[in-house]
Amino acid sequence: MHLAEKRQAYRTVLAQLVTTLTAALLLLMVAGSVYAYSGLAGGLIATLANAFFAFRIFVRYTAQEPGRLLARFYGAEILKLVLTGLLFAGVILWIKPLSVGALFGIFLLAQLMPIVAVQLLD
């Protein structure tokens, strides 16, 4: 993996974090604290899961076989999905009151951020 790809992945995660914090702040000013912390939780779930994925993929990789790299991608994606599910379960069980719309809305916004970041960075 090239260093430029690694930087782009970490910039994308940073863009997700900034988007999450900005959206949560806007929700705090417009809708109130329940919506703000619910949205913050959703955005942080997306950001943490993608940061975990980027870390798993871009740690030092020395193998030359494409099959091993593909297995690494699949493994990281499966772990990312499990982590996302566990984080959602934890938020839904432990955070009360919770705005489900804000939770999933900011999660979706943060998930779409890499598409925007790639377009802006290229």
Side-chain angles (χ1 to χ4, degrees), residues 24-108:
L25 184 61
L26 286 172
L27 281 174
L28 180 63
M29 293 187 305
V30 173
S33 64
V34 172
Y35 294 98
Y37 68 71
S38 297
L40 180 65
L44 287 177
I45 288 170
T47 304
L48 289 173
N50 285 327
F52 173 78
F53 179 82
F55 177 76
R56 294 281 297 171
I57 294 300
F58 291 107
V59 293
R60 189 181 322 197
Y61 180 73
T62 58
Q64 299 298 321
E65 307 95 36
R68 254 187 103 184
L69 180 60
L70 184 62
R72 184 183 209 95
F73 268 94
Y74 280 130
E77 185 64 28
I78 289 169
L79 289 174
K80 178 181 125 175
L81 292 173
V82 170
L83 177 64
T84 301
L86 290 173
L87 289 173
F88 267 119
V91 165
I92 290 170
L93 290 174
W94 292 318
I95 296 181
K96 305 286 186 214
L98 181 69
S99 169
V100 177
L103 176 74
F104 287 110
I106 304 301
F107 174 80
L108 181 61

